Amino acid sequence: MDTEENSGSQSVGAAGSGDAAMFSGFKDMDAFVKHGLGAVVAVTKAAAGLPQAGDEYDFYRSFPAFQSFCEAQGDRLLQCMSLLMRYHGCRAHSRDRNSLTGLEESFDLVVDSNDVILERAGILLDEASGVSRTQQPIMPVGFQPPKTVVSSWNRRVNLAQRNTLETIRLLQAKNIQRPQLKFKEKVDNSNTPFVLKIFIKPNAIKPLSSCRCLCVSRLRKERPEDLDIPAALADFVHQQRTQEHMDDMFAHPYQYELDHLLMPESLIKPEWHVLLQMYRPIDETPCKFIDSLEELVMLNEKLAKTTEFAVDLEHHSYRSFLGITCLMQISTRDEDFIIDTLELRSEMYILNETFTDPAITKVFHGADSDIEWLQKDFGLYVVNLFDTHQAARTLNLGRHSLDHLLRLYCSVDMDKRYQLADWRIRPLPQEMFEYARADTHYLLYTYDRIRLDLLEAANGQPTLIQVAWQKSKTISLKVYMKPIYTEHSYLELYRKQKTTFNTQQLTAFRLLYGWRDKLAREQDESTGYVLPNHMLTKISENLPKEPQGIIACCNPVPPLVRQQVNELHLLIQQARDMPLLKVRHRQPRVPLFGPHDISHVPESPLFDFSSSPGNPGFEVQFGLTVSGSSLEEDTKQKKVVPLTVAQQKACSIMESFENPFRMYLPSKDNNIHISKTAKYDPSSKVYEISNRWKLQSIEQQKKEAEAQQEARARAREAAKRASGTLCTRFCSSSSSW
């Protein structure tokens, strides 16, 4: 078929050049193509008439004439395929002579050759139709094509005003100095739980000293040596104190305040929606970039005088293991502020005075991640939070994004081209500055409008506003949890893959996962930067034999993989040394709601022949589900659970099936499941095996009975001897008296 297709493609090219010798015996190309198509159809019909693989083919192959004919035709086909592959410059012979692996290599050769032939046929067809893949577009003389930069933050709205210096700065963003090197407090990537950073608790109802002390003092061993109590009781008191200290250390420091927080009346005042304050134009609103401690203190004083302000964060997670919060945007009714959190990372705790003030409403949009980032990087907590994302969900809007809300309430289209930008860039480009500012500039007006819609949707009642506020309060109670690596952490990622690994591949997956986690913590890089998940899966699946194979599985090659390729090669070799077994994973049971739903049926235990007579130490495990008597025995041992109608039907269906291998397996009472006719036929092998098992079981029962009798006799003799000894001692003692 490939020969004729290639011939047809070559004939197309020949027809275009006027060479009629290609179609000798045919008047034109259409006749040649029609003949070739008829030949292909005839071959397909003939192939369909051959014996099918299986019992039919084995039956025909038992005849010498059919076997010799198949071998002759097979050699002829292989020779034709080899000639065709050589003609197109492909390797035609397998280098592996193994009967198992050589077949796979030969199949790969055929697939590769077929791809080459089809590609060339496509090229010839394109050339015949006047389309050339290699032809370059015609350009004017002296025209310089623009360079395409793959980046989400390197494009502007006005291309005419692009500045060369700014473009170069954006292109060099990947080479900026890592901000982690300037942090006063080093990032803790250790495989230990996260310790809260807060050490001063403003606006506290329950003081910090009573709910959580500093980490050092809490972990310090405080034994009550000044008390006059026993040592055991002192150890018990110390253990109780340590447990309380550990619980307080990882608990939310404002848990008590949030639990007793009531919804402020300012959310549902009847006059607020009458005096709805429109947002100021962004060009007329002052905006200040804060990167010093003095400016941060002044901002905190301004926020303390307001009743609400909007907050948003910009985060970077690709070149950091735990991620870095790079910017914080805050907007009031009159001003916008952008805080350089990379420069003021150690001083951001000052804002806890206003962020935890219950009289001030903090407006976020999608605060699930922001709450955790504030705790992780700055030790900041939020009391009295209102999340417009949760309000949009409560209002059942079609979309809940900030872009949709701004378009709905403010008629503003957000420019999301810088959403995935590298926010570590300093100085911050003007485009990114304006984008960050717009995230919070319109948020307070959106907050007013969505509250008004919630009030109208509830017919003037504050029920929906209270629901949205309660959901926001639940988000503010979240506590950041650092990712902890365990020996089973890789299973969570493995379950998300669509492939099934054997023992070697799964071992490689586990080792590479552990190597990636360790290196990412040491280098403070994300796991996606060290080795992305799809590359990790591909390397584990292919198990390359050489380091070059590991490099070939990665495109593009991560820098740390290229540096550590030899270590990765040793891990792959360690995995390849594992015995090759297929891993069985039980899928989660999903109710099928049908008569064939057997998810409720208990799984049959794997059979063990180690205790069978005549088979000492011989164990075989069958992955078969035994029905009938085995199910009844399992139900006797377990508690009887009432079954539904569908489950009862499924049980009856399962009981109607017979295991084809059951007659070869001994049951628990050493009886073999065999047919009734063969069981009493002395000439059958089944009769002989059945009697053999019966004799062996009878002999075993006799031996057990004899052993029990001997044990009883020995016990009687020992009792007689003991009684005689006691009588002798008693007589001797009485005579002495």
Side-chain angles (χ1 to χ4, degrees):
M1 181 176 179
D2 292 338
T3 307
E4 292 166 355
E5 186 177 358
N6 184 55
S7 301
S9 61
Q10 290 180 353
S11 66
V12 175
S17 61
D19 187 8
M22 176 67 68
F23 308 104
S24 58
F26 302 95
K27 61 179 181 179
D28 55 5
M29 182 179 64
D30 293 337
F32 176 76
V33 172
K34 185 180 295 184
H35 175 75
L37 182 59
V40 171
V41 173
V43 169
T44 304
K45 291 182 179 179
L50 293 175
Q52 299 296 324
D55 297 338
E56 184 180 2
Y57 178 77
D58 295 339
F59 173 73
Y60 280 98
R61 191 171 177 79
S62 62
F63 297 97
F66 182 82
Q67 183 176 0
S68 60
F69 176 79
C70 290
E71 292 177 354
Q73 295 299 323
D75 294 339
R76 182 183 175 186
L77 289 175
L78 289 177
Q79 185 178 3
C80 293
M81 293 171 61
S82 299
L83 292 176
L84 185 62
M85 294 164 68
R86 290 176 183 174
Y87 176 78
H88 289 281
C90 303
R91 186 161 59 92
H93 295 286
S94 176
R95 298 174 181 175
D96 195 350
R97 300 300 180 184
N98 193 337
S99 59
L100 296 178
T101 59
L103 181 61
E104 296 181 0
E105 186 176 357
S106 301
F107 182 77
D108 294 339
L109 290 178
V110 174
V111 173
D112 295 340
S113 303
N114 196 29
D115 292 340
V116 172
I117 294 171
L118 292 177
E119 180 67 20
R120 292 185 179 179
I123 294 174
L124 293 175
L125 290 174
D126 290 341
E127 292 179 356
S129 59
V131 179
S132 179
R133 300 184 183 181
T134 59
Q135 184 178 0
Q136 298 294 333
I138 300 175
M139 294 293 181
V141 179
F143 177 78
Q144 297 292 335
K147 296 182 179 180
T148 302
V149 180
V150 181
S151 176
S152 61
W153 42 262
N154 198 38
R155 296 190 297 270
R156 295 189 183 181
V157 178
N158 191 355
L159 298 177
Q161 299 179 358
R162 176 170 292 180
N163 190 303
T164 307
L165 296 177
E166 292 181 352
T167 304
I168 293 176
R169 183 177 69 227
L170 292 177
L171 289 175
Q172 298 297 324
K174 62 182 181 181
N175 298 324
I176 64 175
Q177 185 180 6
R178 307 189 68 189
Q180 299 95 309
L181 303 177
K182 298 181 180 180
F183 292 164
K184 297 179 182 179
E185 182 182 354
K186 299 303 178 183
V187 179
D188 182 18
N189 294 329
S190 61
N191 196 33
T192 56
F194 176 74
V195 179
L196 307 185
K197 293 185 175 183
I198 185 172
F199 57 94
I200 297 176
K201 186 180 178 182
N203 304 306
I205 300 177
K206 183 178 181 180
L208 185 65
S209 57
S210 62
C211 65
R212 180 188 175 274
C213 292
L214 293 177
C215 172
V216 178
S217 63
R218 279 302 191 184
L219 291 179
R220 185 179 58 194
K221 293 184 178 180
E222 302 175 355
R223 299 185 63 87
E225 298 173 349
D226 54 337
L227 301 178
D228 188 13
I229 55 177
L233 183 57
D235 292 337
F236 175 76
V237 173
H238 170 64
Q239 292 177 2
Q240 294 295 324
R241 286 187 177 182
T242 305
Q243 183 64 33
E244 293 176 0
H245 295 171
M246 296 298 292
D247 294 340
D248 292 341
M249 182 184 302
F250 301 113
H252 197 292
Y254 284 89
Q255 176 79 39
Y256 184 84
E257 287 77 5
L258 288 171
D259 290 342
H260 294 78
L261 179 65
L262 300 178
M263 187 175 69
E265 296 182 357
S266 59
L267 288 176
I268 53 175
K269 285 192 302 184
E271 65 274 6
W272 66 266
H273 62 279
V274 178
L275 304 174
L276 191 63
Q277 183 177 353
M278 186 67 177
Y279 60 87
R280 298 179 59 181
I282 194 169
D283 297 334
E284 301 177 4
T285 305
C287 182
K288 190 172 184 180
F289 187 78
I290 297 176
D291 57 356
S292 64
L293 179 59
E294 294 77 10
E295 295 174 338
L296 184 64
V297 173
M298 293 178 61
L299 171 62
N300 187 58
E301 294 176 355
K302 289 183 179 180
L303 296 178
K305 300 176 183 179
T306 62
T307 56
E308 68 272 322
F309 59 86
V311 186
D312 190 29
L313 302 177
E314 301 297 342
H315 193 260
H316 178 82
S317 59
Y318 185 61
R319 297 301 306 273
S320 173
F321 181 74
L322 299 177
I324 310 172
T325 304
C326 303
L327 283 181
M328 177 185 289
Q329 305 98 277
I330 297 179
S331 293
T332 63
R333 299 284 182 179
D334 302 319
E335 290 183 87
D336 298 330
F337 304 92
I338 296 182
I339 306 174
D340 186 0
T341 55
L342 297 179
E343 188 70 24
L344 300 174
R345 181 183 176 93
S346 301
E347 290 79 20
M348 291 295 295
Y349 69 91
I350 296 175
L351 296 179
N352 259 332
E353 183 179 354
T354 53
F355 273 62
T356 60
D357 189 349
I360 303 176
T361 303
K362 276 67 67 174
V363 183
F364 284 74
H365 182 84
D368 300 77
S369 299
D370 295 343
I371 293 296
E372 296 182 355
W373 295 341
L374 290 174
Q375 299 176 18
K376 170 178 66 71
D377 292 332
F378 316 126
L380 287 177
Y381 296 86
V382 180
V383 178
N384 192 7
L385 165 70
F386 190 91
D387 192 343
T388 55
H389 176 77
Q390 298 299 327
R393 294 175 63 90
T394 306
L395 200 56
N396 293 324
L397 296 179
R399 297 171 56 189
H400 311 136
S401 63
L402 179 61
D403 184 25
H404 177 68
L405 295 182
L406 296 184
R407 189 181 299 109
L408 177 64
Y409 295 125
C410 307
S411 301
V412 174
D413 291 329
M414 293 290 293
D415 186 6
K416 290 297 182 181
R417 292 180 298 173
Y418 303 96
Q419 188 173 11
L420 301 178
D422 190 349
W423 292 99
R424 302 175 301 163
I425 302 174
R426 296 294 184 275
L428 196 66
Q430 185 64 28
E431 298 87 347
M432 298 173 64
F433 182 88
E434 296 296 335
Y435 168 82
R437 175 188 182 185
D439 277 348
T440 56
H441 179 77
Y442 306 96
L443 193 55
L444 288 178
Y445 179 75
T446 304
Y447 159 69
D448 294 338
R449 289 291 303 274
I450 203 168
R451 281 189 299 157
L452 181 61
D453 289 351
L454 289 171
L455 198 63
E456 293 178 354
N459 298 323
Q461 299 298 322
T463 54
L464 292 182
I465 296 180
Q466 189 171 3
V467 170
W469 182 83
Q470 189 65 35
K471 292 180 179 179
S472 304
K473 176 182 173 182
T474 303
I475 293 176
S476 62
L477 282 169
K478 294 181 65 175
V479 178
Y480 173 74
M481 303 296 293
K482 188 196 296 186
I484 302 298
Y485 173 79
T486 63
E487 58 181 2
H488 303 296
S489 298
Y490 71 99
L491 293 177
E492 182 178 358
L493 177 60
Y494 174 68
R495 294 188 187 101
K496 299 178 182 178
Q497 308 301 319
K498 297 182 180 180
T499 57
T500 302
F501 288 164
N502 55 33
T503 51
Q504 293 181 355
Q505 294 170 334
L506 192 60
T507 302
F509 190 86
R510 175 176 57 83
L511 295 176
L512 292 177
Y513 187 93
W515 169 85
R516 183 181 70 168
D517 184 87
K518 180 181 178 182
L519 189 62
R521 294 177 187 271
E522 293 176 353
Q523 301 294 331
D524 196 13
E525 300 284 1
S526 65
T527 56
Y529 177 82
V530 176
L531 183 62
N533 291 336
H534 67 280
M535 297 184 185
L536 173 63
T537 305
K538 189 173 183 180
I539 295 174
S540 304
E541 184 177 4
N542 295 339
L543 295 177
K545 298 181 180 179
E546 300 295 336
Q548 293 78 4
I550 300 177
I551 300 297
C553 292
C554 305
N555 184 23
V557 183
L560 294 178
V561 171
R562 191 180 296 275
Q563 296 177 9
Q564 307 283 342
V565 65
N566 292 328
E567 184 176 354
L568 291 177
H569 179 55
L570 294 178
L571 296 178
I572 298 298
Q573 285 184 339
Q574 181 179 350
R576 293 178 69 92
D577 293 338
M578 294 290 293
L580 185 58
L581 298 174
K582 186 177 181 181
V583 181
R584 295 175 58 188
H585 294 278
R586 296 175 179 173
Q587 299 295 333
R589 295 175 175 176
V590 181
L592 301 179
F593 303 103
H596 297 286
D597 178 17
I598 59 172
S599 60
H600 60 280
V601 180
E603 300 181 1
S604 59
L606 299 178
F607 295 93
D608 185 6
F609 285 87
S610 58
S611 61
S612 301
N615 297 277
F618 179 74
E619 297 182 359
V620 181
Q621 292 182 346
F622 294 89
L624 303 175
T625 303
V626 180
S627 60
S629 61
S630 61
L631 291 177
E632 295 175 0
E633 293 172 359
D634 291 339
T635 54
K636 290 179 181 179
Q637 295 176 1
K638 299 181 180 180
K639 296 182 179 179
V640 179
V641 180
L643 301 179
T644 61
V645 177
Q647 292 174 343
Q648 293 176 3
K649 291 182 179 180
C651 288
S652 62
I653 293 174
M654 289 299 300
E655 292 175 358
S656 64
F657 289 105
E658 293 293 340
N659 184 3
F661 301 99
R662 190 170 180 177
M663 62 179 297
Y664 302 105
L665 303 176
S667 59
K668 293 184 178 181
D669 55 354
N670 291 333
N671 291 327
I672 300 178
H673 183 78
I674 56 179
S675 63
K676 297 181 179 180
T677 57
K679 192 172 183 179
Y680 301 102
D681 187 3
S683 61
S684 63
K685 191 69 175 178
V686 178
Y687 179 81
E688 180 183 351
I689 296 175
S690 178
N691 289 337
R692 185 190 307 168
W693 282 101
K694 289 181 180 179
L695 293 175
Q696 289 179 355
S697 60
I698 293 173
E699 292 178 359
Q700 185 177 2
Q701 292 177 0
K702 290 182 179 179
K703 291 181 180 179
E704 292 178 356
E706 292 177 357
Q708 292 178 0
Q709 291 179 359
E710 292 179 359
R712 292 174 182 174
R714 292 175 183 175
R716 292 173 183 173
E717 293 179 358
K720 291 180 180 180
R721 293 175 183 174
S723 60
T725 305
L726 291 175
C727 291
T728 305
R729 291 181 178 178
F730 178 76
C731 294
S732 60
S733 60
S734 59
S735 60
S736 61
W737 281 101

